Amino acid sequence: MSKPSLLILLAAPRGFCAGVDRAIKIVELALERFGAPVYVRHEIVHNRHVVEELEGKGAIFVEELDEVPDDVPVVFSAHGVPKNIPAEADRRKLMYVDATCPLVSKVHREVEHHDRTGYHILMIGHAGHPEVIGTMGQVADGAITLIESEEDAETVQPKDPANLAYVTQTTLSVDDTAGIVEILTRRFPHIHGPRKEDICYATTNRQESVKAIAERCDRLLVIGAPNSSNSRRLVEVSEKQGVPSRLVQKAAEIDWEWLKGVTTIGITAGASAPEVLVQEVISALSEHYDVRLEEVETAREAVTFKIPAALRDSAA
């Protein structure tokens, strides 16, 4: 019995970004330099496959610094941490390496600058996300107000509307964020925004690649973790294009009933999902369908970030 035909439109770019590559490499180099165990505060990136691979090499993941014993190295995740975390590590004389994505660090510097200038800061982002917690933790409590939606943007009542600035989480929906920014700039014409867009290049590129393939797809699979903000935004982007989309962490999570009757499927991966998971999904589809693969490239990425100086000898 012949298998039904299936065209797979493979989004490019997809998967790992430069910040994720750097963060994973930092943990691997720390293990090489210091030996196991190396502790990591929070998942280094939001992907269980990556975390489990690093655990197998000797990394131990914890949620808080008080779970880290004395006299062992600790790495801070790519999402960034509040200022009190490195301060506490210094107090305890812990050896630590900061794997915060440089594009998140850029937002931290913006927040500090706005605070020094005397502006109240509005942060567009999702409550509870580690990047938001880290960014808001760069300044004193009350210096930042979180804006999660257009409704928040319409109803926020700052004490001094003439002295405002805004920043954004780096992994948001480009379109949704533009709507919120439009409301804020309408309500507060003198609000100061970032000189360069806070949403990172990889988030933007992956959303644009989904838009490019969505018009040709019956369904779209996003490979990524449920706690990955940028992966969840890819699902939303697809749905807004009218294409049913599902987030899966690996091939075993594919809902075959959901794919019944489908002739064209799109595949992409969030910025913290490794390519091995993409290939695993394609292999699983090949077992059920006569697959034809077409890669649709909308941008080429050549961004790299430096490894922290403390680990550069190991990287040589």
Side-chain angles (χ1 to χ4, degrees):
M1 186 175 170
S2 61
K3 293 186 278 190
S5 297
L6 181 69
L7 172 61
I8 297 176
L9 299 178
L10 189 57
R14 64 184 176 275
F16 281 179
C17 62
V20 166
D21 267 329
R22 174 180 178 269
I24 294 168
K25 193 168 187 181
I26 284 172
V27 178
E28 291 173 338
L29 291 173
L31 286 162
E32 284 180 26
R33 167 157 288 199
F34 306 117
V38 166
Y39 279 70
V40 184
R41 184 188 178 277
H42 194 67
E43 290 185 342
I44 188 68
V45 297
H46 284 156
N47 187 274
R48 283 309 305 167
H49 180 88
V50 171
V51 167
E52 287 167 8
E53 277 204 334
L54 292 172
E55 284 175 336
K57 296 176 181 179
I60 297 175
F61 292 86
V62 297
E63 283 305 306
E64 298 300 340
L65 205 61
D66 59 16
E67 299 173 65
V68 179
D70 294 332
D71 305 319
V72 296
V74 60
V75 176
F76 301 148
S77 82
H79 310 97
V81 295
K83 274 191 171 176
N84 66 312
I85 300 299
E88 174 62 12
D90 286 334
R91 188 192 69 77
R92 291 180 55 192
K93 297 182 169 55
L94 292 176
M95 164 62 201
Y96 66 87
V97 184
D98 189 354
T100 300
C101 173
L103 298 179
V104 175
S105 296
K106 165 190 168 286
V107 180
H108 289 185
R109 291 192 297 271
E110 288 171 2
V111 163
E112 291 173 321
H113 171 73
H114 291 319
D115 188 56
R116 285 195 304 270
T117 309
Y119 295 128
H120 183 76
I121 304 154
L122 304 179
M123 179 169 191
I124 304 169
H126 298 294
H129 190 279
E131 182 187 330
V132 170
I133 293 168
T135 300
M136 294 182 73
Q138 300 305 303
V139 291
D141 288 349
I144 299 183
T145 299
L146 183 62
I147 304 293
E148 293 193 83
S149 64
E150 291 190 2
E151 183 182 358
D152 288 348
E154 287 283 13
T155 56
V156 65
Q157 297 293 340
K159 287 181 181 177
D160 187 357
N163 283 296
L164 288 178
Y166 76 87
V167 297
T168 79
Q169 187 178 332
T170 64
T171 54
L172 298 177
S173 160
V174 174
D175 294 338
D176 289 350
T177 304
I180 293 172
V181 170
E182 186 179 331
I183 292 167
L184 293 177
T185 53
R186 169 174 54 77
R187 292 190 64 210
F188 312 112
H190 301 295
I191 194 169
H192 292 261
R195 289 176 186 164
K196 187 179 177 185
E197 180 67 65
D198 286 339
I199 296 176
C200 86
Y201 77 95
T203 296
T204 302
N205 287 347
R206 279 147 193 73
Q207 290 178 21
E208 288 301 316
S209 70
V210 165
K211 290 178 184 177
I213 64 174
E215 60 187 25
R216 297 173 57 194
C217 294
D218 302 316
R219 298 281 190 275
L220 186 130
L221 286 174
V222 177
I223 300 160
N227 60 340
S228 166
S229 175
N230 77 86
S231 299
R232 289 166 60 190
R233 301 296 80 76
L234 294 175
V235 173
E236 293 172 2
V237 167
S238 175
E239 296 277 358
K240 284 187 176 180
Q241 301 295 308
V243 181
S245 183
R246 293 273 179 92
L247 182 65
V248 297
Q249 296 191 79
K250 53 189 176 182
E253 295 183 2
I254 296 172
D255 180 353
W256 298 104
E257 282 294 314
W258 184 68
L259 295 181
K260 265 192 175 176
V262 165
T263 59
T264 304
I265 186 170
I267 295 178
T268 190
S272 49
E275 181 65 15
V276 64
L277 298 180
V278 176
Q279 297 306 318
E280 179 190 281
V281 166
I282 293 171
S283 294
L285 289 168
S286 298
E287 291 175 9
H288 290 75
Y289 297 92
D290 179 15
V291 163
R292 182 163 62 91
L293 194 63
E294 179 186 334
E295 187 167 65
V296 180
E297 184 177 76
T298 55
R300 294 198 175 182
E301 296 177 348
V303 178
T304 57
F305 295 130
K306 287 183 179 178
I307 295 295
L311 297 175
R312 279 182 203 155
D313 291 345
S314 300

